Amino acid sequence: MIACAVALFALTLLGPLVTSLVDDWSRRDVELRATLVFNSVSGPLSAMLENGQTDHINELFERVATDSRIVAVAVCRDGKEPAHATKLMPSSISCEKIARSDTESFSSVIVNGRRMLIGAYPIVSRTDPSREIEGHFIIVHDLSFAEHRGQEARNYLTLMLGGIILASGALAIGLVLYLIRNWLRTFKQAVTSATSPGVRNAAASYGPLDKEVRQVLRQLEMSQSAIDRDQANWSKETLRDIMLAELPGVEVLVVANREPYIHNHGPGGIELQTPASGLVSAVEPVMRACGGTWIAHGSGTADRETVDANDCIGVPPRSPEYTLRRIWISEEEQDGYYYGLANEGLWPLCHIAFTRPVFRESDWRTYRAVNERFADAVAAEAKTSSPIVLIQDYHFALLPQMVRERIPDATIITFWHIPWPNAETFGIFPWKEEIIHGLLGSSIIGFHTQFHCNNFLETVDRFVESRIDREQESVTLKGHETFIRPYPISIDWPPAALANQKSIQDCRDAVRKRLDLPPETKIAVGIERFDYTKGVLDRIRAVDTLLETHPEWRGRFVLVQAAAPTRSKLQTYKGLQDEAMALAEEINAKYADVSPQPIRLIIRHHEPSEVFELFRAADVCIVSSLHDGMNLVAKEFIAARDDERGVLMLSHFAGASRELAEALIINPYDAHATGEVLHSALVMPETEQHERMRLMRAYVSTRNVYRWAGQMLLDASRLRKKQRILEIAALDTDRAG
């Protein structure tokens, strides 16, 4: 009886592992075979495609398909259907889904109940490799043999264990118990080796087991990429499905300084306002999809009157999908925490926009106290012992470690929405060690770009005694490992503000009528908060340069600059607004002999519907950030242009320029060059506008805010699975002992 139990336990533990390893070996074998086939036919096939030799291509494909494991081969060019294919090519396989990458790719599909592996290889011109890709070579392999291999491996394992039990009898029972206990100990050590940065280099310490455990954990780490490839259409429903599959029942808490809905007293009573914030635009759709609680500073004049006894309110107000918990901050605390340390200290420090940061000891004490208050709120709102806490931005650099102390098992993801400067620049911050220690309480720290990740790792290396794993991009401090990852933020697709918009022509007519502009007037728009990092003054100066260099645009071109006042208590921001008004008046006076005036400065808050109307009416959108983490205005302009027209001018110093290569990239510090690019944008043919906008819309639609959130949540799922492996291994070792 005991012997049978031991055999069953070993079979249950080893069977799935053996099956998984056999399946991996089989897949790698098929991928290698597919690559060998492509390498052998790529040259002749490229020549045949260039010469239009259809018969030769069909003959070549039939010879390749004689392999018993090859189901079909094909060539995908334009359209859903293959241009050339063998007879058994499954009709359910679409070229649009599998032939998209510029590099070789593999995907698994189920066709008629059979598992198949599809390999897609880009075909490069044989005569001119620099030309665009000619098409994709598609090879479909049958993977059903892998299941037979796995079954055989399980059968062999069963027979082996049975033979040992029958042959060894009672003596074998003791030996098996000893081996199981030893194996479990080795397994735990192997897992620890594979997950602990300090011992990762000891690759041969535990033999083959250590290697296989590393492979299994590496596959877990790649789960995000695997699901990401399979999800061509990221949406609210996609994100919910991932939450149900990967994080069932998990509690999500968001912490941000800015609240997504503000209640203010107005002439007609309490009015609801949606703040103009890139952070809110990005995170609010995610909370609608995931539910949970958003913890934020209650800044509205009527906020206290709209919450319940626990300072909570369901939002969105008309159809609540999550909870908003408001934290009350006094005006004095706001001066020190928000205006002082955060926006006079960290903001200019990180943006490097040539505005000297200000550091006050009193601001630092208030900043720390407010972070403590938010940490208490997170602990109070958490209903489980291991929630996912999404901490947003530079207002809460100390919060991750504070939450870690209160909820040790929480998965904490901190996203830093602004740039992270180089180590030398950050070194002037008086409390740099405290900030770094606070952030490293996170499970994951996210930045917009890999460049900012690298800067953060260099900063940690310079100022904090820790273990940095460059390969895994992680930092281990006091036994806790934090991963550093790039997550390019994006927008909801399609944006909610686009739902009730009029046609492009109606928007153009409405805006020109409201601004008293002739119908043929070309319009460029700039839309953002009045912030010295946005390059508003540089944009206005570029218009002056355009009109000087190309006088034909005088009276035919207008820059509509919509700017919402922000942080007006700070002199640098108020001074910027005054300077912009003076500069606009100066340039308008300079060209007073023409009508309409070239600069229209509109200083007020714009609702999302107004912003999108301006986007749809414009010929050009100018994003001239002097330094920006990402900049979502650029992506919102792209989303607004469902006519696939309009030109985006994008600063090289905005993170979005790493993604939107089809925009006209500018250096906002060079007014003359920016003016010349603006001229090029105004005269760009519609066909070129269409091609550029079509590519950018395809990119932003698939890499939307749900993909951004999904990447972070999948990484959170991977970390939680890895932790469970460690806990199970430790528990089994304790039981065996």
Side-chain angles (χ1 to χ4, degrees), residues 243-261:
M243 289 291 292
L244 289 173
E246 295 290 318
L247 297 161
V250 74
E251 179 184 16
V252 177
L253 301 169
V254 164
V255 184
N257 177 72
R258 193 179 296 269
E259 56 184 334
Y261 298 94

Side-chain angles (χ1 to χ4, degrees), residues 596-609:
Q597 293 182 322
I599 309 294
R600 295 293 179 89
L601 193 57
I602 307 174
I603 305 175
R604 65 174 177 84
H605 170 76
H606 286 71
E607 291 296 329
S609 58

Side-chain angles (χ1 to χ4, degrees), residues 103-124:
T103 60
E104 65 178 53
S105 62
F106 298 95
S107 57
S108 295
V109 298
I110 303 296
V111 179
N112 296 328
R114 296 163 60 193
R115 195 157 63 97
M116 297 185 183
L117 181 72
I118 302 176
Y121 300 84
I123 303 171
V124 180

Side-chain angles (χ1 to χ4, degrees), residues 520-531:
E520 67 277 6
T521 304
K522 293 280 189 177
I523 293 180
V525 298
I527 302 176
E528 54 265 303
R529 293 176 292 109
F530 248 130
D531 189 303

Side-chain angles (χ1 to χ4, degrees), residues 511-519 521 523 558 560 596-597 600:
V511 169
R512 282 161 174 75
K513 181 179 180 180
R514 185 166 63 249
L515 298 178
D516 193 24
L517 301 176
T521 304
I523 293 180
V558 170
V560 178
Q597 293 182 322
R600 295 293 179 89

Side-chain angles (χ1 to χ4, degrees), residues 433-724:
E433 292 86 359
E434 290 92 332
I435 288 284
I436 295 170
H437 278 264
L439 289 171
L440 291 178
S442 310
S443 307
I444 302 170
I445 303 175
F447 296 94
H448 289 296
T449 67
Q450 184 63 51
F451 180 70
H452 297 152
C453 292
N454 296 343
N455 279 349
F456 179 77
L457 287 171
E458 291 298 330
T459 303
V460 175
D461 193 23
R462 177 81 66 89
F463 300 114
V464 173
E465 188 67 31
S466 60
R467 257 196 327 266
I468 298 179
D469 187 326
R470 298 285 180 178
E471 181 180 356
Q472 297 295 323
E473 290 191 292
S474 68
V475 179
T476 299
L477 180 65
K478 298 180 180 178
H480 172 72
E481 185 174 24
T482 301
F483 293 89
I484 317 302
R485 295 288 183 266
Y487 301 114
I489 202 168
S490 194
I491 60 172
D492 189 6
W493 187 279
L498 198 58
N500 298 317
Q501 286 290 332
K502 298 178 182 178
S503 69
I504 292 289
Q505 188 58 49
D506 287 344
C507 290
R508 291 172 64 87
D509 294 342
V511 169
R512 282 161 174 75
K513 181 179 180 180
R514 185 166 63 249
L515 298 178
D516 193 24
L517 301 176
E520 67 277 6
T521 304
K522 293 280 189 177
I523 293 180
V525 298
I527 302 176
E528 54 265 303
R529 293 176 292 109
F530 248 130
D531 189 303
Y532 54 79
T533 68
K534 302 301 181 182
V536 175
L537 299 178
D538 304 85
R539 186 179 311 157
I540 295 174
R541 293 188 184 104
V543 170
D544 185 26
T545 300
L546 168 74
L547 299 179
E548 284 185 349
T549 309
H550 299 279
E552 66 271 20
W553 288 114
R554 299 175 185 178
R556 297 176 52 223
F557 167 82
V558 170
L559 169 66
V560 178
Q561 177 60 58
T566 183
R567 302 166 189 164
S568 54
K569 292 184 68 172
L570 300 180
Q571 183 55 42
T572 50
Y573 290 86
K574 186 178 184 304
L576 170 68
Q577 182 172 323
D578 294 341
E579 188 175 355
M581 294 172 62
L583 182 60
E585 290 177 3
E586 177 185 337
I587 293 175
N588 285 336
K590 182 177 180 180
Y591 302 103
D593 58 330
V594 298
S595 180
Q597 293 182 322
I599 309 294
R600 295 293 179 89
L601 193 57
I602 307 174
I603 305 175
R604 65 174 177 84
H605 170 76
H606 286 71
E607 291 296 329
S609 58
E610 297 178 282
V611 169
F612 274 78
E613 183 185 50
L614 283 173
F615 283 149
R616 292 168 70 80
D619 300 285
V620 181
C621 177
I622 307 177
V623 176
S624 54
S625 307
L626 305 181
H627 201 178
D628 224 335
M630 176 55 65
N631 191 286
L632 297 183
V633 168
K635 296 185 177 183
E636 288 176 336
F637 174 70
I638 292 167
R641 299 314 296 254
D642 49 19
D643 64 335
E644 296 185 345
R645 296 294 186 272
V647 182
L648 173 63
M649 292 173 56
L650 181 57
S651 168
H652 169 73
F653 306 108
S657 67
R658 309 294 195 276
E659 299 181 290
L660 306 176
E662 291 76 25
L664 300 183
I665 306 301
I666 60 173
N667 175 4
Y669 291 96
D670 188 339
H672 176 76
T674 302
E676 289 301 310
V677 174
L678 178 55
H679 172 72
S680 299
L682 293 171
V683 300
M684 182 181 292
E686 286 195 355
T687 53
E688 183 180 350
Q689 293 181 35
H690 167 76
E691 290 302 318
R692 289 176 180 269
M693 187 60 70
R694 181 177 60 84
L695 290 172
M696 290 190 291
R697 283 177 60 82
Y699 185 93
V700 177
S701 66
T702 55
R703 291 165 175 80
N704 55 33
V705 70
Y706 300 110
R707 180 181 182 272
W708 170 75
Q711 287 179 318
M712 290 191 289
L713 293 173
L714 285 170
D715 277 349
S717 172
R718 175 184 59 80
L719 288 179
R720 292 162 80 95
K721 288 177 181 178
K722 182 185 290 186
Q723 185 60 36
R724 280 199 294 273

Side-chain angles (χ1 to χ4, degrees), residues 268-293:
I270 295 178
E271 298 176 349
L272 180 68
Q273 178 185 341
T274 303
S277 164
L279 184 152
V280 170
S281 299
V283 181
E284 208 270 337
V286 176
M287 289 302 289
R288 290 193 182 201
C290 299
T293 302

